[in-house]
Amino acid sequence: MASVLDGVCFCLITGASRGLGREISLQLASTVRKGSMFLLTATNQDLLNNTKSEINTINEELDVFTGIFDQAKFNESNFMDFIKQHKDRQSWDHILIIHNAGTLGDISKKLSAMTDMCRLNEYLAINVSSVIAMTAIILQCFPCDSLKRHTVVNITSLCGIQPIKGMSIYCTGKASREMAFKCLSKEEPHIRVLNYAPGPIHTDMFETLCQNLGDPESKKMMNELLTQKTYVKCEDTVKKLIGILKDDKFTSACHIDYYDEV
């Protein structure tokens, strides 16, 4: 069977303005076939435009469009319009969805101190509910047939399968997303699903985690990764992710970590 990256690809990448999402966008740009299209989403238009310009420098034959979506206040009609505006520009071989956007939530408190329903609901809206809705909208716009392949990549974390003190809401979001996509794989077995944990990568989010994590033990562990420089580089983990997609030998809906042998 052909790799997900072999044909003309319609690709959505969320959180593409910086960090891991930006790096995924840039490395994919040099990999996908002529005629492919990227839809990049984030909350900062200027940073998205920077990513788009960098992609155009790498691959001028790639169509790139950007959209500003606040997943805390996700509007399904606007997102549906965004997808429909671009979906018929080409005869697509592959539909690739990469859910990278995410937030840490409140990492200053233990779960027993979390009583603010507005903040809890906002976190789940950004990291779970909107992700499910975006996936459903794209799948409705691109019904499965013999001419198209569908792949969903969920950027997850060790926190999706292992509890870490002080990161209860973050762990909850990652675990919820993983289970949602495991269910998708059961319900739609023709869709390839990958839960990819990129490892502790050095991004702005990781810096925030090191500074604001409330649990002393977990904070010490994270800061040791930073000071000893044993974190993972963005370019290295994205290279591994693209290699996994090219090989296309993973079990659908599995959890693969950067450190796993594949």
Side-chain angles (χ1 to χ4, degrees):
M1 182 178 287
S3 159
V4 68
L5 302 178
D6 282 345
V8 179
C9 185
F10 178 101
C11 179
L12 172 80
I13 304 171
T14 70
S17 60
R18 56 183 178 171
L20 183 64
R22 170 186 167 274
E23 186 65 30
I24 291 172
S25 303
L26 299 183
Q27 289 199 33
L28 270 181
S30 62
T31 306
V32 295
R33 183 171 293 181
K34 177 182 178 180
S36 294
M37 181 169 69
F38 281 9
L39 299 188
L40 310 177
T41 70
T43 56
N44 186 306
Q45 186 66 67
D46 290 338
L47 292 178
L48 266 187
N49 288 341
N50 290 342
T51 302
K52 178 179 178 179
S53 295
E54 290 179 276
I55 291 172
N56 289 335
T57 299
I58 294 168
N59 186 349
E60 61 183 14
E61 295 180 328
L62 183 64
D63 289 326
V64 184
F65 300 94
T66 63
I68 298 300
F69 291 96
D70 181 354
Q71 291 181 214
K73 303 172 183 177
F74 183 70
N75 185 300
E76 59 271 25
S77 296
N78 289 345
F79 186 74
M80 177 76 82
D81 291 343
F82 178 61
I83 299 300
K84 285 184 174 180
Q85 181 182 354
H86 303 292
K87 77 182 192 73
D88 295 325
R89 291 175 179 267
Q90 179 64 273
S91 178
W92 310 108
D93 298 312
H94 295 155
I95 310 303
L96 175 60
I97 307 169
I98 301 180
H99 285 297
N100 166 70
T103 59
L104 287 170
D106 190 345
I107 53 172
S108 67
K109 300 185 181 76
K110 298 189 295 184
L111 186 141
S112 58
M114 293 186 181
T115 57
D116 188 331
M117 285 299 297
C118 289
R119 293 191 70 179
L120 289 170
N121 286 334
E122 179 182 68
Y123 180 83
L124 293 173
I126 295 169
N127 294 280
V128 182
S129 306
S130 62
V131 172
I132 293 172
M134 293 168 88
T135 304
I137 287 169
I138 293 176
L139 295 179
Q140 288 169 19
C141 287
F142 297 100
C144 293
D145 58 43
S146 60
L147 300 178
K148 295 185 183 68
R149 295 189 62 211
H150 295 67
T151 300
V152 179
V153 178
N154 172 43
I155 299 300
T156 186
S157 167
L158 179 63
C159 295
I161 59 175
Q162 178 178 307
I164 296 179
K165 292 192 297 181
M167 299 183 67
S168 57
I169 188 65
Y170 183 76
C171 291
T172 297
K174 290 301 185 184
S176 298
R177 269 167 65 153
E178 285 214 29
M179 184 52 70
F181 288 117
K182 287 178 184 291
C183 290
L184 174 67
S185 181
K186 287 289 186 181
E187 294 169 352
E188 311 283 355
H190 50 277
I191 297 174
R192 300 281 281 150
V193 175
L194 173 63
N195 291 299
Y196 181 69
I201 49 178
H202 189 198
T203 61
D204 291 344
M205 182 181 286
F206 188 70
E207 292 275 359
T208 300
L209 179 66
C210 291
Q211 293 169 12
N212 299 335
L213 189 51
D215 182 83
E217 182 181 340
S218 297
K219 185 172 185 176
K220 180 175 181 290
M221 177 180 67
M222 297 301 174
N223 276 280
E224 284 176 351
L225 291 171
L226 190 61
T227 56
Q228 296 172 12
K229 297 185 177 180
T230 50
Y231 48 75
V232 178
K233 294 180 180 179
C234 258
E235 55 266 32
D236 292 339
T237 196
V238 173
K239 182 178 179 180
K240 177 157 186 171
L241 170 60
I242 291 177
I244 293 168
L245 292 175
K246 282 183 175 179
D247 291 342
D248 203 20
K249 296 177 181 177
F250 60 90
T251 301
S252 191
C254 70
H255 174 112
I256 298 180
D257 191 276
Y258 171 75
Y259 295 107
D260 291 342
E261 293 289 339
V262 293

